[in-house]
Amino acid sequence: MAYERFETPGQAAPPRWRHYWKLMRADRPIGTLLLLWPTWWALWLAAGGLPPLWTLFVFTAGVWLTRSAGCVINDYADRWLDPHVKRTKDRPLASGAVSGRAALVLFAVLMLVAFALVLTLNALTIGLSFIGVFLAASYPYLKRYTHLPQVYLGMAFGWGIPMAFAAVQGEIPVIGWLLYGANILWSTAYDTWYAMVDRDDDLKMGSHSTAILFGDLDLVIQGILYALFLGAMALVGVRAGLGVAYWAGVAVAAGLIAYEFWIARKREREPCFKAFLHNNWVGAALFAGIAAALALG
């Protein structure tokens, strides 16, 4: 569509780069943070403290690049749905500010830059990155065929965990897979809050999500998912031999999760979205606990 459609009388249209910036969700860092915390958990646990600085840079930059690419391909896949959903109707692809072809080019560029960074690491990490690309590119299409796209999101968002252990240790130990499983539980739970925001619109359009699958039992199943997540993180702490600082972090995370249930207890759109955003602090509390425990020995 014509770029001029975004102009209003007396107001110039915004620069085109802003539409691409918005398409990448670079103006909304919550997704990057939710992807970054588990990656940092893994890097610190794999290294027994501060990881090699270049490895830390590659994974931190890679998180931003792959999350941005994931948002682009997600909007490309959802361009049939987003115009009909209140929260997403003004996104660049849904509104016509960015074409589908341009979005695919942007996705490819972002993934190529991320892959170039991975090429500086070992062969196992490079090999695992191909699985990461497949997970990121295929995730958006799950909501058309299954009610479990949130589970698949956890698989995609957490793939940096085995890659981090591979990069630092040259292998993926049991604790790496345990942490990966914990992250799948966490991602499924927090993305269900997100799905609850769009549940009414998704039902109208025939889209699928765990929020729709869980129905009236959503809060009960959310409680089970979060309990399993905290249990898995407790096993991580035991297996890694982490001290009191870690358990303090787990306790803070549990309190933050309890608060999410309080604010979303009526299942309203805005409180559910607030509960989703609140998971940033859960991830930060757990990272602080891991980093402090390893630093204190």
Side-chain angles (χ1 to χ4, degrees):
M1 296 184 182
Y3 181 66
E4 286 73 20
R5 64 168 289 187
F6 297 95
E7 293 183 359
T8 56
Q11 181 181 354
R16 184 170 289 274
W17 67 266
R18 289 188 182 177
H19 297 305
Y20 292 99
W21 192 252
K22 185 177 180 181
L23 179 61
M24 293 158 53
R25 305 286 202 284
D27 58 330
R28 298 186 177 185
I30 180 63
T32 298
L33 292 169
L34 291 173
L35 183 54
L36 186 65
W37 294 125
T39 304
W40 280 8
W41 301 344
L43 285 171
W44 257 255
L45 286 169
L50 181 68
L53 294 182
W54 177 251
T55 303
L56 178 60
F57 169 76
V58 168
F59 276 87
T60 301
V63 160
W64 187 87
L65 289 163
T66 54
R67 185 262 178 166
S68 298
C71 290
V72 172
I73 200 65
N74 179 77
D75 283 10
Y76 179 80
D78 285 353
R79 63 195 187 281
W80 63 277
L81 172 65
D82 285 348
H84 306 284
V85 177
K86 180 180 179 180
R87 182 179 52 80
T88 61
K89 64 181 181 180
D90 293 325
R91 286 179 175 175
L93 273 170
S95 64
V98 175
S99 69
R101 179 179 297 179
L104 289 177
V105 171
L106 179 59
F107 170 77
V109 169
L110 290 167
M111 293 305 293
L112 284 172
V113 174
F115 184 62
L117 290 173
V118 173
L119 287 175
T120 66
L121 304 176
N122 60 37
L124 177 58
T125 310
I126 295 170
L128 290 171
S129 71
F130 287 98
I131 300 176
V133 171
F134 173 78
L135 290 171
S138 56
Y139 154 71
Y141 296 93
L142 266 290
K143 66 186 68 176
R144 300 187 188 185
Y145 309 109
T146 173
H147 282 94
L148 300 174
Q150 283 68 35
V151 178
Y152 201 80
L153 176 76
M155 296 169 61
F157 259 35
W159 196 246
I161 292 173
M163 287 183 64
F165 277 93
V168 174
Q169 297 186 359
E171 62 179 0
I172 309 170
V174 173
I175 193 174
W177 293 116
L178 180 58
L179 192 64
Y180 180 59
N183 184 73
I184 292 175
L185 291 166
W186 184 43
S187 300
T188 302
Y190 69 62
D191 202 49
T192 297
W193 291 133
Y194 197 77
M196 288 169 70
V197 177
D198 296 334
R199 179 157 44 192
D200 292 342
D201 293 324
D202 286 343
L203 282 168
K204 292 176 184 177
M205 294 302 300
S207 186
H208 301 83
S209 71
T210 49
I212 294 172
L213 177 65
F214 298 162
D216 292 339
L217 293 175
D218 49 10
L219 295 182
V220 174
I221 299 176
Q222 283 285 78
I224 294 171
L225 287 170
Y226 273 113
L228 290 173
F229 162 60
L230 291 172
M233 293 304 293
L235 290 176
V236 168
V238 170
R239 191 168 188 92
L242 300 177
V244 65
Y246 176 71
W247 298 107
V250 172
V252 171
L256 291 168
I257 289 169
Y259 177 66
E260 292 174 20
F261 281 86
W262 171 254
I263 61 178
R265 65 192 183 279
K266 295 183 179 179
R267 301 178 173 89
E268 296 169 334
R269 283 179 184 256
E270 289 303 318
C272 286
F273 188 63
K274 185 177 179 181
F276 161 73
L277 295 174
H278 205 254
N279 281 274
N280 171 49
W281 301 110
V282 174
L286 290 167
F287 172 71
I290 293 171
L294 291 172
L296 295 173

